[in-house]
């Protein structure tokens, strides 16, 4: 089971799993489709569109996005040393998305370059969202 930009079915509902810019794409889609059969959203390492490392020219679409309450249960997972988002900014996104917040420790951008392997901790967090 991959943990990036994917969807899983749980009891007839889809659970969205997104990473990085996929978090913004998922939140935008969820807010435009509030009656979708979405049972949850697992959002890992959302980048800060106003942060210094954000690639503004490459993905200017997301600069105008703002986090708004999501129509389903959600979990935002961030890292203490993510170069694209401070833990404080990620916690703020979680709050504005009305999502549960989890700081996973020093995991970089929570990607393959972070050396997390199959990231068992992430699988456990996804399980906690599905059980919610």
């Amino acid at each position: 089971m991959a943990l990036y930009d994917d969807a899983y079915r749980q009891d007839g509902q889809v659970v969205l799993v997104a990473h990085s810019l996929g978090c913004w794409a998922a939140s935008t889609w969820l807010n435009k489709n509030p009656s979708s059969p979405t049972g949850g959203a697992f959002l890992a390492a959302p980048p800060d569109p106003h942060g210094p490392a954000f690639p503004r020219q490459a993905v200017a679409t997301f600069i105008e996005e703002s986090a708004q309450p999501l129509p389903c249960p959600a979990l935002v997972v961030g890292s203490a040393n993510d170069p694209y988002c401070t833990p404080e900014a990620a916690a703020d996104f979680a709050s504005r998305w009305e999502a549960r917040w989890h700081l996973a420790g020093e995991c970089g951008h929570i990607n393959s370059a972070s050396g997390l392997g199959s990231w068992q901790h992430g699988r456990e967090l996804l399980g906690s969202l599905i059980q919610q």
Side-chain angles (χ1 to χ4, degrees), residues 16-100:
L16 297 178
V17 178
H19 173 263
S20 194
L21 286 173
C23 297
W24 289 103
S27 69
T28 300
W29 185 86
L30 285 165
N31 281 317
K32 289 182 179 181
N33 298 279
S35 61
S36 69
T38 305
F42 183 94
L43 307 173
D48 182 355
H50 302 289
F54 193 81
R56 284 169 182 72
Q57 289 76 19
V59 287
T61 303
F62 293 99
I63 292 175
E64 298 303 318
E65 294 297 322
S66 65
Q68 298 178 17
L70 297 176
C72 63
L75 172 62
V76 175
V77 181
S79 170
N81 62 342
D82 187 337
Y84 298 103
C85 189
T86 65
E88 296 80 14
D92 179 59
F93 300 148
S95 175
R96 291 191 281 144
W97 279 325
E98 295 183 359
R100 200 173 63 178

